[in-house]
Amino acid sequence: MKKILSLVLALMLVLSCFGSFALADDVPTLKVLVRHDPRSPKIGELDNYKRAEEAAGVKIEWEYVTSDAWKEQKSLVLASGDLPDIFFGTQTIHPSDILSNIEYFIPLDDLVAEYGDQIQEMWEVYPSSKIANTMPDGKVYGIGRYMPNRPATLIGSYINQKWLDNLGLETPTTLEELEQVLIAFRDLDADGDGDTTDEVPILALSPSDGKRGIQAFRGYFQAENCVENEFGVIDGKVTFMPATEEYRQWIEWCHWLLEEGLINADCVTLDRATWTAMLGDANGSAGGLITTWTNDEAGANMDDFTILDIQEGPNGKAYMAGNKANLACGVSQWCAASITVNCKDPEAAMRWINYFYDDANGAEAANGPVGLVYEIDENGVYRFMEDQYETTGYHIYDNWYYSLGDQNIGWVSPEFEKNYFPPTPIEERKYVVDQAYQDNLRDEDFIVPPMVFDRDSNDRAVEIKTDIDKLLKETVADWFVNGITDEQWNDYLKQLDKMGLQEYIEIYQNRLDEIRGN
Amino acid sequence: MAKKAKNPQDTLDTSSSYLLRKNAGASDWIFSITIWVLLFAVVAVVAYPLYFVVIASFSDPVDVGMGRTLLAPVGIYLEGYEEIFRYDRLWNAYGNTIFYTVAGTILHLLLTIPIAYTISRKNLMLNGFLATFLIITMFFNGGTIPLYMMLRAYGLLNTRWVLIVSGCVSVYNIIIARTFFANSIPAELMEAAEIDGATAMQTFVKIVLPISMTIIAVIGLYAAVGYWNAYKPGLMYIRNDELFPLQVILRELLLVNMNDMMVVGNGEVEQMRKAEQIKYGIIVVSTLPIMCLYPMLQRFFAKGVMIGAVKG
């Protein structure tokens, strides 16, 4: 009897083993390569990502590459063909990577039509998120994203309110008024230490350091670029902004600043570390006008700086570089997810990707799961749990600790973003600046969105851009310091033409017409 | 000292006592002082940057940025070190690197010394061919991608092995060691061993190795420094957190803290400041152990490098 019993038990054990094996086989496994910030927990361990696996009925095998090693790893992976099933996360795969390795990626249009209803919704509301990833063959190989609560402008101008108050001056609103204020900063004792010579009216960074330097003033002359590239669309025509008369005015004005001693003389070479150190100096005297992401960068002197909103320049309205359609930060040309030819079950992969593209899941993907980072109040509004939120001490962006941060995936609808998903306390500070500049932004028509060209045009555009960028860099630095003559300006225009500027513009114009025509 | 100076041979040897000599003439003094001044200048030029890194790593980054830390730390600020030491991945990586360095150096010596000895023997068939063959690999290699694919085919990616195996043979070191064996070990010694009935293996292990400690120390130090500083293999072949060597983590610590705020978003400026100090702290943390090794091996080092340079 015992023997029979044990035999039955053993048989049951064996059968149950087979049973569970059979069950495991039903769930498709996807190998996902993700670029991740080593300071954050691994996203595969977060609740919302576990729920995504369940909802889509897939098993995810995560492979993490730390963000600093991504560049090396990406080129190895693409060159050796050692592909995952899915590349995951924005700033992971760029459309140009797909363009040069198109045989590795599968077109996603049909899959989206069948399994990606939520992604389609995003494409309808933010068409640029689709355009940015549409290949010249008209197909989409990578899914973009829309990140909520991101600014439309990049750089804000701040003026030293303490100095204004000390001198009894009004906050300037036109460029002329600003010039007067800067001259007053230079000549008078603005910081109130009894010395009239130690004030730096504008404390700027080297022009090569992003837009924190004199580049930020281009909008005052209507010579700003559209963030994504050096172009702007004026009267339906793609215009190369650095070849305009307005651009010349801007550089002449900057030269005037330097000659008059209204800007720090070392601003061509000043590095970021010294700059932030000077701004945050405990003795004050940080500078009168700065251009920066938020006034946080002034450290200890942060509260001295208020937003400077110049409304009028010599050519009429003064603009800020930015983008009302939130192309600047919310939408990215990078693909948030792309599926490779290695993937055996693209349907399942698309189901899983699509999971992140709705309000609730997009919100969690952006800043972290509900229960850990957010609580939802009785009106359905997401509240950032600051008090319970565990900060780690070494993470810059605490509201991005439990997410991929700027490498994010997903989207939320404008309605949800406006009513239920307020900016986090950290985002709030940028949000205030951004709101202040809403009236200083050009219409959406001005923007040349990020686009993908066919391979030949792309190669040519990159080639021309390389030459032109070099020329721009050299000339800006030279003219800023030495001023500019008519002859130099004409030579410069000729040189641009010789480098293929017209062809460069044409490539953009043609592609833009194609897209806008559709 | 003065008595000894009568012997011209001694005067030459005790160059450091020039300034102490009683009967030194004016020209001697000028000569000595010039030398001392020059040497001091050279030492200052070499040592000051190191010293600066150390004081900058303890100073307030604002003061460092403003150029106020020249001779001593200003406004002691230890947040950078706190940050470095709080990074728990660092300690795991430190352990890993010690393991890779020790294991790698042993493997490196086990391969390099026998290879060098073998091709240094004139009575080896094809030794010229083998040497040429090795030298060719110094100038031509498959490149990064084929190497990656080969390591993948061997199943070495994402294992500890890949970091030990990559860099375990260096042709440059083999040539140095070969020159040593060819020039510094008298052929008569080996002949004598042979006559006494020693096998080739016995000659190598019992006769050659004991008198080759200098070259072993030098190659060992080269290898150890190489393994300690290597970050490329870790960056390219490893994805598993647990296996990262120290240098990859330090690079990561530096880069992720330096993210441009404009690209990534809202930032705390405190972090930027810290990042500046972390830069200096990292240099101190990562180079201290290997710098401590140098003085101990110094006497082998100077001698051994010379040996490699002398052509027979």
Side-chain angles (χ1 to χ4, degrees), chain A residues 193-410:
Chain A
D193 66 350
D195 187 351
T196 60
T197 56
D198 65 345
E199 285 89 0
V200 186
I202 299 178
L203 188 61
L205 260 185
S206 135
S208 59
D209 192 308
K211 305 209 161 38
R212 278 182 176 76
I214 53 174
Q215 295 275 353
F217 305 128
R218 276 170 66 173
Y220 297 162
F221 299 85
Q222 304 190 343
E224 89 283 13
N225 57 24
C226 70
V227 182
E228 296 291 338
N229 40 53
E230 280 290 351
F231 294 112
V233 185
I234 297 171
D235 302 330
K237 272 197 177 143
V238 173
T239 312
F240 186 66
M241 301 311 282
T244 58
E245 220 22 69
E246 288 83 2
Y247 180 84
R248 187 182 160 176
Q249 277 176 320
W250 159 71
I251 195 103
E252 275 172 346
W253 188 70
C254 292
H255 175 60
W256 173 80
L257 289 176
L258 190 67
E259 272 204 320
E260 289 290 317
L262 296 172
I263 193 167
N264 49 325
D266 60 351
C267 71
V268 179
T269 51
L270 190 63
D271 69 85
R272 180 110 177 253
T274 320
W275 183 69
T276 39
M278 287 168 81
L279 280 182
D281 192 15
N283 304 330
S285 185
L289 169 62
I290 56 171
T291 53
T292 169
W293 181 262
T294 62
N295 52 356
D296 290 45
E297 282 190 272
N301 303 318
M302 168 179 167
D303 295 331
D304 293 350
F305 288 93
T306 53
I307 299 162
L308 173 71
D309 184 5
I310 296 294
Q311 294 288 344
E312 208 186 301
N315 300 320
K317 197 166 171 47
Y319 292 115
M320 290 299 288
N323 185 330
K324 267 190 189 157
N326 214 341
L327 268 170
C329 295
V331 174
S332 165
Q333 186 170 23
W334 291 86
C335 310
S338 47
I339 305 178
T340 71
V341 288
N342 249 19
C343 184
K344 293 203 180 64
D345 196 345
E347 288 90 359
M350 183 50 77
R351 274 203 316 269
W352 179 69
I353 294 169
N354 186 49
Y355 173 87
F356 300 98
Y357 289 81
D358 83 354
D359 289 344
N361 300 336
E364 286 191 312
N367 285 345
V370 172
L372 191 64
V373 177
Y374 277 109
E375 53 192 359
I376 304 175
D377 70 10
E378 62 277 9
N379 302 321
V381 179
Y382 281 60
R383 298 268 170 238
F384 197 67
M385 292 156 62
E386 236 183 314
D387 44 339
Q388 291 173 43
Y389 188 64
E390 196 189 317
T391 55
T392 57
Y394 50 72
H395 199 271
I396 311 179
Y397 312 111
D398 281 347
N399 57 328
W400 284 349
Y401 183 67
Y402 290 109
S403 75
L404 284 177
D406 213 14
Q407 276 100 58
N408 234 326
I409 189 169

Side-chain angles (χ1 to χ4, degrees), chain A residues 291-516:
Chain A
T291 53
T292 169
W293 181 262
T294 62
N295 52 356
D296 290 45
E297 282 190 272
N301 303 318
M302 168 179 167
D303 295 331
D304 293 350
F305 288 93
T306 53
I307 299 162
L308 173 71
D309 184 5
I310 296 294
Q311 294 288 344
E312 208 186 301
N315 300 320
K317 197 166 171 47
Y319 292 115
M320 290 299 288
N323 185 330
K324 267 190 189 157
N326 214 341
L327 268 170
C329 295
V331 174
S332 165
Q333 186 170 23
W334 291 86
C335 310
S338 47
I339 305 178
T340 71
V341 288
N342 249 19
C343 184
K344 293 203 180 64
D345 196 345
E347 288 90 359
M350 183 50 77
R351 274 203 316 269
W352 179 69
I353 294 169
N354 186 49
Y355 173 87
F356 300 98
Y357 289 81
D358 83 354
D359 289 344
N361 300 336
E364 286 191 312
N367 285 345
V370 172
L372 191 64
V373 177
Y374 277 109
E375 53 192 359
I376 304 175
D377 70 10
E378 62 277 9
N379 302 321
V381 179
Y382 281 60
R383 298 268 170 238
F384 197 67
M385 292 156 62
E386 236 183 314
D387 44 339
Q388 291 173 43
Y389 188 64
E390 196 189 317
T391 55
T392 57
Y394 50 72
H395 199 271
I396 311 179
Y397 312 111
D398 281 347
N399 57 328
W400 284 349
Y401 183 67
Y402 290 109
S403 75
L404 284 177
D406 213 14
Q407 276 100 58
N408 234 326
I409 189 169
W411 97 300
V412 300
S413 64
E415 202 242 331
F416 176 80
E417 186 180 353
K418 208 170 137 210
N419 300 325
Y420 302 104
F421 201 60
T424 61
I426 297 168
E427 282 166 342
E428 185 72 35
R429 290 206 286 279
K430 184 65 188 171
Y431 186 73
V432 175
V433 197
D434 205 44
Q435 288 304 304
Y437 289 133
Q438 283 302 309
D439 297 337
N440 301 62
L441 293 176
R442 297 234 205 193
D443 289 341
E444 268 175 55
D445 297 346
F446 177 77
I447 307 300
V448 178
M451 303 178 292
V452 193
F453 310 105
D454 62 83
R455 220 168 149 166
D456 291 341
S457 304
N458 188 58
D459 291 349
R460 187 73 189 119
V462 169
E463 208 178 311
I464 300 172
K465 185 178 184 300
T466 316
D467 285 348
I468 288 184
D469 281 353
K470 202 167 153 248
L471 181 68
L472 287 184
K473 231 178 169 172
E474 284 166 11
T475 48
V476 165
D478 177 23
W479 294 339
F480 175 55
V481 176
N482 302 317
I484 175 174
T485 63
D486 284 345
E487 199 187 331
Q488 279 174 321
W489 179 252
N490 289 333
D491 272 356
Y492 161 79
L493 292 181
K494 260 182 229 152
Q495 218 170 333
L496 280 176
D497 278 340
K498 226 194 273 165
M499 287 174 168
L501 180 62
Q502 294 315 318
E503 199 187 339
Y504 188 38
I505 292 174
E506 223 167 88
I507 292 171
Y508 272 81
Q509 183 82 58
N510 290 344
R511 187 78 181 116
L512 190 70
D513 290 346
E514 248 173 68
I515 287 165
R516 294 227 163 131

Side-chain angles (χ1 to χ4, degrees), chain B:
Chain B
M1 195 81 49
K3 270 182 200 167
K4 267 191 174 178
K6 279 174 191 165
N7 184 343
Q9 195 68 40
D10 281 353
T11 324
L12 283 177
D13 282 349
T14 53
S15 49
S16 63
S17 62
Y18 261 84
L19 281 177
L20 301 170
R21 224 157 44 124
K22 278 180 188 158
N23 54 348
S27 64
D28 277 354
W29 277 98
I30 293 167
F31 182 70
S32 313
I33 289 168
T34 317
I35 285 190
W36 278 97
V37 168
L38 280 177
L39 280 179
F40 188 77
V42 169
V43 169
V45 165
V46 174
Y48 180 73
L50 290 175
Y51 176 69
F52 177 79
V53 166
V54 174
I55 57 172
S57 73
F58 288 105
S59 302
D60 190 328
V62 174
D63 292 310
V64 177
M66 301 282 279
R68 289 193 200 117
T69 46
L70 284 176
L71 292 173
V74 177
I76 299 295
Y77 180 88
L78 297 169
E79 298 264 315
Y81 276 112
E82 254 172 52
E83 184 104 331
I84 294 172
F85 291 123
R86 196 164 39 201
Y87 211 61
D88 38 11
R89 294 151 55 88
L90 184 85
W91 298 110
N92 179 36
Y94 227 118
N96 282 344
T97 286
I98 292 173
F99 170 73
Y100 296 139
T101 306
V102 172
T105 307
I106 291 171
L107 185 66
H108 190 101
L109 287 173
L110 280 178
L111 292 169
T112 305
I113 298 294
I115 293 174
Y117 173 70
T118 314
I119 59 170
S120 75
R121 296 305 308 269
K122 299 209 169 53
N123 51 354
L124 172 75
M125 197 170 64
L126 291 178
N127 74 342
F129 168 77
L130 281 175
T132 318
F133 191 78
L134 284 171
I135 287 168
I136 288 174
T137 64
M138 283 177 85
F139 299 101
F140 302 99
N141 58 55
T144 315
I145 308 288
L147 183 62
Y148 178 86
M149 290 166 88
M150 188 187 79
L151 291 171
R152 188 181 51 160
Y154 290 159
L156 285 174
L157 289 188
N158 241 338
T159 62
R160 284 187 194 280
W161 278 105
V162 73
L163 295 184
I164 296 173
V165 170
S166 63
C168 69
V169 172
S170 147
V171 177
Y172 179 79
N173 288 353
I174 289 178
I175 291 173
I176 292 179
R178 185 190 68 160
T179 315
F180 173 88
F181 289 126
N183 299 330
S184 307
I185 312 265
E188 293 79 9
L189 205 60
M190 290 179 235
E191 271 168 25
E194 215 170 308
I195 289 165
D196 286 346
T199 61
M201 196 60 172
Q202 279 169 332
T203 313
F204 176 59
V205 176
K206 294 198 169 152
I207 309 290
V208 177
L209 279 190
I211 56 171
S212 308
M213 280 306 153
T214 324
I215 198 69
I216 292 174
V218 170
I219 304 288
L221 186 66
Y222 276 163
V225 172
Y227 276 104
W228 188 272
N229 287 336
Y231 75 92
K232 267 263 157 87
L235 200 63
M236 292 194 297
Y237 309 134
I238 300 285
R239 280 184 197 161
N240 185 349
D241 269 9
E242 313 269 289
L243 306 181
F244 277 139
L246 179 66
Q247 304 296 341
V248 170
I249 298 291
L250 294 179
R251 180 178 181 275
E252 172 189 300
L253 195 60
L254 196 62
L255 289 184
V256 289
N257 276 299
M258 297 234 290
N259 273 345
D260 189 319
M261 269 187 257
M262 201 170 86
V263 180
V264 271
N266 317 303
E268 306 280 0
V269 126
E270 192 55 28
Q271 200 67 29
M272 279 295 301
R273 302 244 160 79
K274 245 186 248 170
E276 281 303 309
Q277 198 185 28
I278 287 172
K279 235 176 6 191
Y280 297 112
I282 280 174
I283 298 174
V284 174
V285 168
S286 64
T287 48
L288 211 57
I290 212 86
M291 271 174 81
C292 293
L293 208 64
Y294 262 91
M296 285 192 274
L297 294 169
Q298 169 75 23
R299 80 200 151 97
F300 293 114
F301 203 52
K303 225 200 250 169
V305 173
M306 282 293 286
I307 290 158
V310 177
K311 272 270 174 194

Side-chain angles (χ1 to χ4, degrees), chain A residues 95 129-135 139-144 333-335:
Chain A
S129 67
K130 186 181 182 189
I131 293 167
N133 284 306
T134 306
M135 292 289 147
K139 288 181 188 144
V140 174
Y141 290 79
I143 309 291
Q333 186 170 23
W334 291 86
C335 310

